[in-house]
Amino acid sequence: MQNLNLQDFPLQSFDKLRYADTDRQGHVNNAVFSTFLETGRVEFLFGAKKIFSADCSFVVAAIELKLLAEINWPGQVDIGTGIARIGNSSIRIFQKLFQDGKTVAISESVIVHVSNAGTGSVPLSEEAKVALEQWVLST
């Protein structure tokens, strides 16, 4: 999956870079990279139909982020998002950030389907798993 280009992702989105995103060195602060990844995850989670069960939501359980290059202002960052794995009650999301076609970061996140009542993880429905298949990355 390391060699995927933006066009290889089932979901492609972007964020406009703001001057306020920059740090003292004049490039985008590394903490903002997580915000860009959130944009892709949120567009995926709320764009995919029928993946939430009643009285459930998703929480981020783990994030691995590899910073590969600087992002420079002005401009935009492109975000590729797809599913690496569908589990029983979790989804492993693979994402890449690009600027001007160059990979600047790689991330894997685990999101877990949980009860809003706070009683722990809840298995994904079969309907949800079928709906999620369209977002799985081909390797």
Side-chain angles (χ1 to χ4, degrees), residues 54-57 114-120 122:
D55 299 318
C56 291
S57 56
V114 297
S115 166
N116 291 338
T119 56
V122 175

Side-chain angles (χ1 to χ4, degrees), residues 15 21-23 32 36-37 40 74-75 83 98-100 106 109 113 121 136:
D15 267 339
D21 294 335
T22 61
D23 60 19
V32 180
F36 300 145
L37 296 168
I83 296 177
F98 303 86
Q99 186 177 37
D100 300 324
I106 297 172
S109 306
H113 189 234
S121 65
V136 173

